[in-house]
């Protein structure tokens, strides 16, 4: 049985203010054509369908057209909500849409209610495990503590218990939206740290034949049975070296991974990160290949050049981001505010602020705990408010 594993569509998202809806529509076209040409048995969408809880109407329209086209093919689609989605909004009409073969799994309480498909070798149970905000689902799952690992463990226990009641030899797939240890992050994913810990071990998914993951935007293999498809488009310059793909997974008769092929997705425009003095960037023939790319340029001139963006645009008309890092300047003093924050969590930034305002000395253990508790509470409260809107 063949499954097309994708995730993190982020419909409605822009790239440095460039509207990506056309590129996202081209991806949907490619997805539908791949399903048809490769005779895919089911499509798996592992969360972050939209980029925000209340998406713009053109994004909703594209999503609607995508579901209609998949339903018209008669190929089942299993889709979960991610941390960017509003689970309640995405799940509206799930019971009705289910009749068309589009199976939305947005309610954590239903994680052990699988979509069951069958082939000549028997049944395959597909479990949809939506993004779990630990503070909101701890009681639902009876988890021992408020953490991603604890709630995922508890949810997977339910899934394994249901699987144990099914006919011997039933194969299994789980869709999940989480940060698994060993995965490589990029700048475009939203921080989901809880209690100072965001990653969960791959062993959480033991007992199922394949875990189709979403959240991280780079296509990657944690192990043979645990994989991220990544996002179909690049959403930050940190993804400049990503090859955007979907996984075509073939599940064998005994639940073995009989095939795992990366299917490339359409690239609307290449990305390039250029660094150097302005005159060098404008004159170096090595950069000819980047002239039609979306460009992030970091200028290292000792003195800031006049009108640098306009001059860059003559050669690189799709320059979207410009930064300055003068040669010979001390790293900390020379780095921009954005550069100093890049790659740092909210917790780390807050601890740095504590050290700054007291004139030295790091936040102690008690202060770190207070800060982390505050971040956890705010995120949980945001989720509660979204749930009740």
């Amino acid at each position: 049985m063949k499954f097309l594993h994708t995730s993190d569509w982020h419909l409605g998202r822009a790239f440095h203010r460039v509207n990506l809806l056309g590129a996202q529509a081209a991806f949907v076209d490619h997805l539908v054509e791949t399903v048809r040409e490769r005779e895919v048995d089911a499509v798996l969408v592992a969360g972050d369908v939209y980029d925000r809880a209340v998406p713009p109407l053109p994004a909703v329209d594209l999503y609607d057209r995508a579901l209609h086209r998949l339903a018209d093919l008669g190929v089942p689609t299993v889709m979960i909500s991610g941390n960017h989605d509003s689970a309640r909004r995405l799940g509206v009409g799930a019971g009705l849409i289910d009749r068309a073969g589009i199976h939305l799994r947005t309610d954590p309480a239903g994680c052990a209610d699988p979509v069951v498909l069958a082939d000549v070798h028997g049944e395959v149970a597909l479990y949809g495990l939506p993004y779990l905000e630990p503070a909101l689902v701890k009681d639902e799952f009876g988890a021992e503590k408020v953490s991603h690992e604890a709630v995922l463990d508890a949810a997977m226990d339910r899934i394994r218990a249901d699987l144990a009641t099914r006919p011997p030899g039933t194969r299994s797939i789980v869709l999940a939206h989480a940060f698994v240890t060993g995965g490589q992050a990029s700048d475009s994913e939203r921080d989901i740290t809880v209690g100072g810990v965001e990653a969960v071990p791959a062993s959480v998914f033991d007992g199922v034949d394949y875990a189709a993951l979403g959240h991280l935007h780079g296509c990657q293999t944690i192990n043979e049975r645990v994989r991220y498809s990544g996002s179909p488009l690049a959403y930050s310059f940190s993804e400049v070296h990503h090859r955007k793909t979907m996984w075509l997974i073939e599940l064998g008769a005994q639940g073995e991974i009989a095939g795992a092929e990366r299917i490339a997705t359409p690239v609307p425009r290449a990305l390039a990160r250029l660094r150097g003095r302005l005159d060098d960037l404008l004159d170096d023939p090595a950069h000819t290949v980047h002239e039609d790319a979306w460009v992030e340029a970091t200028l290292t001139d000792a003195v800031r050049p006049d009108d640098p963006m306009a001059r860059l645009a003559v050669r690189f008309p799709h320059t979207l981001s410009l930064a300055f890092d003068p040669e010979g300047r001390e790293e900390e003093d020379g780095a921009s505010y954005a550069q100093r924050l890049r790659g740092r969590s909210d917790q780390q930034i807050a601890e740095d602020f504590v050290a700054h305002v007291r004139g030295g000395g790091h936040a102690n253990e008690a202060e770190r705990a207070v800060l982390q508790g505050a971040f956890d509470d705010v995120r949980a409260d945001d989720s509660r408010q979204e749930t009740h809107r």
Side-chain angles (χ1 to χ4, degrees):
M1 193 175 289
K2 290 192 291 189
F3 300 91
L4 191 63
H5 167 198
T6 179
S7 73
D8 296 274
W9 295 3
H10 289 278
L11 299 181
R13 185 163 186 159
F15 185 79
H16 289 265
R17 297 179 299 282
V18 174
N19 189 316
L20 290 180
L21 200 66
Q24 291 171 333
F27 160 69
V28 170
D29 291 343
H30 177 68
L31 172 75
V32 172
E33 192 59 30
T34 299
V35 170
R36 181 186 295 111
E37 288 185 355
R38 302 302 294 269
E39 298 181 335
V40 171
D41 294 298
V43 176
L44 314 177
V45 186
D48 281 354
V49 178
Y50 292 121
D51 188 56
R52 56 182 186 265
V54 185
L57 287 177
V60 176
D61 181 61
L62 177 57
Y63 166 76
D64 181 62
R65 285 185 279 122
L67 295 194
H68 275 83
R69 294 174 69 184
L70 290 169
D72 287 344
L73 290 176
V75 176
T77 297
V78 183
M79 181 179 292
I80 63 172
S81 50
N83 61 301
H84 279 249
D85 298 310
S86 164
R88 289 192 66 185
R89 285 189 175 90
L90 189 65
V92 168
L96 185 62
I97 295 172
D98 192 79
R99 301 177 192 176
I102 306 295
H103 308 283
L104 300 176
R105 293 295 186 263
T106 62
D107 183 358
C111 68
D113 178 21
V115 176
V116 180
L117 307 180
D119 62 10
V120 295
H121 303 296
E123 294 185 342
V124 180
L126 290 84
Y127 296 92
L129 186 55
Y131 171 70
L132 303 177
E133 180 59 53
L136 299 185
V137 301
K138 175 181 178 292
D139 293 338
E140 162 67 33
F141 290 111
E144 294 181 357
K145 58 181 180 179
V146 179
S147 74
H148 286 293
E149 183 174 356
V151 296
L152 277 169
D153 261 333
M156 283 301 301
D157 283 344
R158 288 191 183 182
I159 289 171
R160 285 184 283 262
D162 177 82
L163 189 58
T165 68
R166 299 193 173 273
T170 297
R171 292 159 289 168
S172 56
I173 290 177
V174 63
L175 288 75
H177 198 86
F179 191 164
V180 174
T181 302
Q184 297 297 311
S186 60
D187 290 346
S188 54
E189 297 124 7
R190 184 177 295 166
D191 181 26
I192 58 171
T193 302
V194 172
V197 179
E198 60 182 6
V200 300
S203 59
V204 164
F205 301 105
D206 285 353
V208 295
D209 295 314
Y210 183 69
L213 300 182
H215 180 58
L216 299 184
H217 288 182
C219 182
Q220 49 201 294
T221 301
I222 304 301
N223 61 50
E224 184 186 30
R225 296 179 181 275
V226 180
R227 299 171 189 257
Y228 284 97
S229 65
S231 59
L233 299 172
Y235 292 117
S236 73
F237 278 104
S238 66
E239 301 167 56
V240 63
H241 298 302
H242 287 188
R243 182 165 72 93
K244 296 300 183 181
T245 59
M246 304 175 286
W247 281 114
L248 183 62
I249 299 294
E250 187 169 354
L251 202 61
Q254 306 302 317
E256 74 277 14
I257 305 300
E261 179 185 351
R262 291 180 68 180
I263 306 293
T265 56
V267 178
R269 193 178 297 278
L271 306 185
R273 272 182 154 172
L274 305 182
R275 180 183 178 87
R277 289 173 291 186
L278 179 59
D279 287 343
D280 293 338
L281 296 184
L282 295 177
D283 296 336
D284 191 341
H287 296 316
T288 300
V289 67
H290 303 308
E291 289 178 353
D292 195 44
W294 280 322
V295 169
E296 176 190 74
T298 300
L299 302 185
T300 61
D301 301 74
V303 177
R304 183 172 300 205
D306 292 333
D307 209 8
M309 182 62 96
R311 293 169 63 187
L312 277 170
V314 173
R315 185 178 189 187
F316 307 106
H318 304 290
T319 301
L320 301 180
S321 176
L322 179 62
F324 297 91
D325 187 12
E327 296 172 344
R329 191 160 71 179
E330 290 294 328
E331 182 177 348
E332 181 63 26
D333 292 337
S336 70
Y337 182 69
Q339 289 171 324
R340 293 199 301 273
L341 298 188
R342 183 173 294 149
R344 301 182 68 76
S345 68
D346 292 341
Q347 175 81 9
Q348 291 170 320
I349 294 168
E351 290 179 16
D352 287 348
F353 177 74
V354 170
H356 172 73
V357 297
R358 67 160 48 122
H362 298 294
N364 59 39
E365 185 174 345
E367 290 168 333
R368 288 196 296 271
V370 168
L371 290 170
Q372 188 61 62
F375 285 122
D376 292 349
D377 289 346
V378 167
R379 185 174 55 252
D381 187 60
D382 286 345
S383 296
R384 289 190 191 94
Q385 290 186 37
E386 175 58 40
T387 298
H388 292 93
R389 281 177 187 169

